Amino acid sequence: MKNLFLFLLLCVLTTPLFSQIIELDEVIIYPVKYKYIFEVVDDDIDQSVKDLQLKLGNFDVTKEEFYNDEYDSYNVSFYIPKGYAVATYDKDGKLLRTIERYKNVKLPLAVSKALVERFPNWAVDKDIYKVSYSEPKWESKKTYKLKLTNGEKIIKVKTDQDGNFL
């Protein structure tokens, strides 16, 4: 019994000797403009457009060398071969609004289905995809301007993201 008591006492006293202290590096968390990303970025759009929209949502104007907290807002332009986006950020880096315009992008399934139903023998010759986002309302407006051809006939139509003709 005496040996058991000494063994337990020895274990209790030596346990802190084997404990480890682990120091972690500083963790920096960057805010993501999740409202913009959830509202604007769709899975069924061109990957280049999606990448640009994610870049808009993750961009932090406060980390740029031109940043000066005396200004109330910053307009930042982003370009890709298919189009461009202009985003307005406030002095804290919050995304306020965007205006985006892209040419000849892959149409969403809803728009394609609506075109096939209404214009069965027509082909899409050109398309322009416009997106506008506004922070106070947390909503976006997405429209497609389409140039359709059927032989020598040409018509222009405009739809929203759900395939409703405007």
Side-chain angles (χ1 to χ4, degrees), residues 22-44:
I22 299 172
E23 292 185 25
L24 299 175
D25 293 335
E26 181 179 337
V27 176
I28 300 173
I29 300 173
Y30 296 103
V32 175
K33 286 73 174 183
Y34 65 91
K35 293 175 185 172
Y36 168 79
I37 291 174
F38 288 143
E39 181 66 29
V40 174
V41 179
D42 293 327
D43 289 333
D44 59 347

Side-chain angles (χ1 to χ4, degrees), residues 6 9 16 35 57 70 72 79 99 106 128 144:
L6 287 174
L9 182 63
K35 293 175 185 172
E70 294 178 8
D72 289 334
Y79 296 93
I99 299 172
K106 181 181 111 181
I128 296 174
Y144 292 87

Side-chain angles (χ1 to χ4, degrees), residues 90-108:
D90 69 2
K91 65 180 177 181
D92 299 322
K94 183 179 178 184
L95 180 61
L96 300 176
R97 62 188 161 274
T98 66
I99 299 172
E100 305 169 43
R101 186 175 192 270
Y102 308 101
K103 289 183 179 180
N104 299 323
V105 297
K106 181 181 111 181
L107 298 176

Side-chain angles (χ1 to χ4, degrees), residues 8-152:
L8 290 175
L9 182 63
L10 183 65
C11 287
V12 169
L13 293 176
T14 58
T15 301
L17 295 176
F18 296 111
S19 66
Q20 298 177 0
I21 297 175
I22 299 172
E23 292 185 25
L24 299 175
D25 293 335
E26 181 179 337
V27 176
I28 300 173
I29 300 173
Y30 296 103
V32 175
K33 286 73 174 183
Y34 65 91
K35 293 175 185 172
Y36 168 79
I37 291 174
F38 288 143
E39 181 66 29
V40 174
V41 179
D42 293 327
D43 289 333
D44 59 347
I45 59 172
D46 276 5
Q47 188 62 40
S48 60
V49 173
K50 188 176 183 179
D51 291 343
L52 180 65
Q53 290 175 336
L54 290 172
K55 187 173 184 176
L56 279 167
N58 292 319
F59 185 75
D60 189 4
V61 72
T62 63
K63 303 291 184 209
E64 298 300 316
E65 59 187 52
F66 59 80
Y67 175 75
N68 185 345
D69 63 355
E70 294 178 8
Y71 299 112
D72 289 334
S73 65
Y74 292 87
N75 291 330
V76 182
S77 299
F78 299 86
Y79 296 93
I80 59 173
K82 289 193 173 211
Y84 64 89
V86 178
T88 303
Y89 299 89
D90 69 2
K91 65 180 177 181
D92 299 322
K94 183 179 178 184
L95 180 61
L96 300 176
R97 62 188 161 274
T98 66
I99 299 172
E100 305 169 43
R101 186 175 192 270
Y102 308 101
K103 289 183 179 180
N104 299 323
V105 297
K106 181 181 111 181
L107 298 176
L109 189 59
V111 174
S112 297
K113 283 183 178 179
L115 286 173
V116 169
E117 283 180 16
R118 190 160 176 187
F119 304 102
N121 296 324
W122 294 76
V124 177
D125 188 35
K126 294 181 182 178
D127 67 81
I128 296 174
Y129 174 48
K130 291 184 177 183
V131 180
S132 62
Y133 171 80
S134 179
E135 179 65 30
K137 299 176 186 177
W138 295 316
E139 63 185 16
S140 65
K141 182 178 180 185
K142 302 175 190 178
T143 58
Y144 292 87
K145 287 185 175 181
L146 308 165
K147 180 181 174 185
L148 305 176
T149 58
N150 184 0
E152 292 190 22

